[in-house]
Amino acid sequence: DMTVENFGKVILEESDTSMAIFNPFGFREDYGGKDMVPIEEQAEVKKRWPDKTIMMGGGLTPNQGLSETLNRMEMYVKEFKAEGLKLYTFDSTKKKGWWFDDQKLAYPMWEKARSLGVKNIGCHKGIPFGQFMARYAHPEDFDLVCDDFLDINWIAFHSAWPYQNELAALKGFKPQRKNLYSELGSTFAATVTNRPVECAHVLGQLVRDLGEDYVMWGTDSTLWANPQWQIEAFRRFRIPDQLVEGHGYPQLTDEVKAKIFGLNAARIWGIN
C-alpha cells in the first residue's frame, strides 16, 4: 500500500490533510541489506507533491557504524532535502538497540544534525511491536538530550503509548522545558476504536502535563487505510466530564484541537 501513487491519493487527495510529514523506514538487516522503505522512494513523494509534504530522514542507527550513519545523515539533508529526522532506538542489528542519551554513539549525531541545520528530531517511542525490544521504546532517554540540546525539538512519535504518562512527566515536573513534543500517530487510532476511556486518559495526560502547545497530530496512514476517519473521530472526541473533574484533564476544545491538528507542527516547522 505504501506506493507513491497511493500515498498521494489516500493522504493528500482523499482527506483533509493539507501537509504531510513523513519518513522512510530502515531495518535493512531484515530486508536483504536494503531499507524497508528507502529514502529514494520517499523522495519521489516529495517530488510529486513538493508544496504539501515535509520529509524526515530515517533508517539511521549508529549500530551500523557511526561514521556511516553521519555520512548518510548528511546525504539525506544535502541530497534529498530532508528537513528533520525520524529514528528508531530499537533496530535489527546484533546489538538490538541504542539510546538517544548515549554520549558516545548518539551525541555525535545530534552535533551533526545541529551543523546541518536540522531542528526537529523524532523517535518511535512506545508501541514495542514485532521482534523489537520494549526497553528501547521507553522515552526516558529524551530527558538528558532535551537539556543538553535546547536548540533541537525532540518529538516522541506515538506519544510513547503505553508509557505516555512517563513521557508527560518529563515535562510535567519540568515546566520550564520547551523542546519536548509528542505525536499521536497510531496511538489515537488504536485507542479510540476499542479503548475510548483509555484514549481519553492518554489525551488528557498529554495535554495536561506536556501542555496543549506540545501535542501534535499524526495518523500513521496508510497503515490505517486512510487518515480521514481519524480526523473525523478526533473532531468529535471529548474527554468525559468525570475524567476532567477527577483527574484535572483539560477539555479538548476547538482551540486545543486546532493546535494539535496543525498549529503546533506549523510552528516548529516554520509553516505559514
Side-chain angles (χ1 to χ4, degrees), residues 63-252:
N63 288 334
Q64 292 170 340
L66 182 55
S67 294
E68 178 184 351
T69 296
L70 296 178
N71 289 337
R72 291 177 71 197
M73 186 190 303
E74 183 170 353
M75 181 261 292
Y76 288 171
V77 174
K78 292 186 176 180
E79 182 176 341
F80 291 100
K81 310 304 179 186
E83 300 178 60
L85 298 175
K86 159 67 186 306
L87 307 174
Y88 292 77
T89 41
F90 49 75
D91 61 34
S92 297
T93 69
K94 292 181 179 180
K95 294 183 178 180
K96 301 299 184 183
W98 55 290
W99 300 105
F100 265 33
D101 59 1
D102 187 318
Q103 296 187 11
K104 182 179 179 180
L105 285 179
Y107 274 40
M109 297 173 62
W110 316 145
E111 297 286 358
K112 184 69 171 182
R114 177 184 277 165
S115 71
L116 293 168
V118 172
K119 299 294 186 182
N120 297 314
I121 298 177
C123 185
H124 178 113
K125 289 299 182 182
I127 312 184
F129 64 93
Q131 79 275 24
F132 301 112
M133 298 182 69
R135 65 187 180 127
Y136 291 113
H138 196 278
E140 66 182 32
D141 55 331
F142 272 9
D143 197 12
L144 186 59
V145 293
C146 281
D147 287 346
D148 286 349
F149 295 88
L150 295 172
D151 56 333
I152 293 176
N153 296 312
W154 303 95
I155 307 165
F157 276 68
H158 318 295
S159 298
W161 176 68
Y163 320 122
Q164 77 284 341
N165 58 332
E166 295 168 67
L167 170 69
L170 297 181
K171 172 74 183 296
F173 288 96
K174 296 184 178 182
Q176 75 278 8
R177 182 167 277 167
K178 305 297 183 183
N179 60 339
L180 178 62
Y181 291 81
S182 68
E183 180 265 1
L184 293 173
S186 274
T187 292
F188 177 74
T191 55
V192 75
T193 48
N194 58 6
R195 303 181 183 184
V197 174
E198 183 174 356
C199 183
H201 279 295
V202 170
L203 290 170
Q205 289 166 354
L206 293 172
V207 175
R208 181 191 64 192
D209 296 336
L210 275 177
E212 63 188 47
D213 294 327
Y214 297 90
V215 181
M216 298 189 293
W217 182 244
T219 62
D220 256 13
S221 296
T222 57
L223 296 178
W224 294 90
N226 67 67
Q228 188 60 31
W229 72 267
Q230 296 180 55
I231 293 170
E232 297 292 347
F234 189 68
R235 284 172 174 161
R236 295 192 300 269
F237 193 83
R238 283 182 53 84
I239 297 175
D241 291 340
Q242 61 266 36
L243 296 186
V244 171
E245 296 169 2
H247 295 271
Y249 296 152
Q251 188 51 263
L252 298 175

